[in-house]
Amino acid sequence: MKLNERVRRIVTDDLEPGEQIQAVVGLANQIGTGRVSSGGTVHGSGSSALGTQYAQDRGLDLDNPKLRADLLASWLTVTDRRLLFHKPKQTSIRPTPGALIEAIDRDGIRLHWFDAKGYGLSNRVIHLEFPDGRHLVSATMLKATLRRKPYNDEPFLLVEAFGHTATEVVTAERS
């Protein structure tokens, strides 16, 4: 298992006593304007694996304040108790988590996800649905197209951490 140990060490300062990290992923900084084809390839403009089509298919208004755009460009840490969101620190070529933005109790949070390819990358699109009606729709990198193996196992551990509250998205376009 290939974990992002460097990033995991950085976020440990914000853990409560006994809290365990289950996954840490960097989230994309924007929702693109493309669409995902039946093969899971992203087309159109925008640099995210998501595109507005996903949001439209689910009735999500991208201008609605309940869409957590403030968390798009963040590091997401999933623990056995909470979701922690950190600002990215742009101090090197490989960004790392910086200051804690928000910590949210995991109870009632659902994960919807699918894998998409495009722009030379393979991404996992993630849609977090919070109990209060808020949403976060973003993506995290699985691997560069030239890599045969995933960049790291954290995106897979993210889905595993949510267990029965994680749902793989199958759209008419992808089925």
Side-chain angles (χ1 to χ4, degrees):
M1 181 176 301
K2 186 175 180 184
L3 300 176
N4 195 338
E5 293 295 342
R6 174 180 65 96
V7 171
R8 283 178 172 235
R9 276 192 304 276
I10 293 169
V11 299
T12 57
D13 289 345
D14 293 314
L15 298 179
E16 295 174 343
E19 192 170 22
Q20 298 293 313
I21 295 174
Q22 295 180 328
V24 182
V25 296
L27 300 180
N29 64 357
Q30 66 180 353
I31 297 175
T33 56
R35 63 180 176 77
V36 179
S37 74
S38 59
T41 301
V42 178
H43 300 283
S45 61
S47 63
S48 169
L50 175 60
T52 56
Q53 189 63 50
Y54 174 84
Q56 290 170 350
D57 289 350
R58 273 139 200 85
L60 297 174
D61 177 4
L62 297 178
D63 295 321
N64 186 329
K66 287 195 173 210
L67 185 68
R68 294 298 307 265
D70 60 321
L71 300 177
L72 282 175
S74 65
W75 282 90
L76 166 61
T77 302
V78 179
T79 75
D80 54 334
R81 302 177 198 165
R82 304 178 296 161
L83 301 183
L84 306 175
F85 294 91
H86 290 86
K87 287 183 181 181
K89 212 190 271 187
Q90 298 291 344
T91 57
S92 67
I93 293 173
R94 296 183 331 175
T96 57
L100 182 66
I101 301 170
E102 188 167 356
I104 303 171
D105 190 297
R106 276 189 57 175
D107 289 340
I109 297 176
R110 298 191 51 80
L111 169 68
H112 307 280
W113 65 277
F114 69 91
D115 294 338
K117 299 173 289 211
Y119 306 110
L121 300 173
S122 178
N123 297 282
R124 173 150 296 162
V125 175
I126 58 174
H127 172 192
L128 294 171
E129 201 175 340
F130 301 95
D132 63 0
R134 296 179 302 161
H135 294 267
L136 171 60
V137 185
S138 193
T140 189
M141 187 171 80
L142 286 173
K143 62 182 181 174
T145 304
L146 299 177
R147 291 179 182 254
R148 293 187 180 172
K149 294 182 180 178
Y151 178 68
N152 66 54
D153 291 328
E154 300 288 354
F156 301 95
L157 294 172
L158 172 72
V159 172
E160 187 178 302
F162 277 88
H164 72 279
T165 61
T167 306
E168 184 174 7
V169 174
V170 178
T171 64
E173 203 172 55
R174 297 182 68 232
S175 55

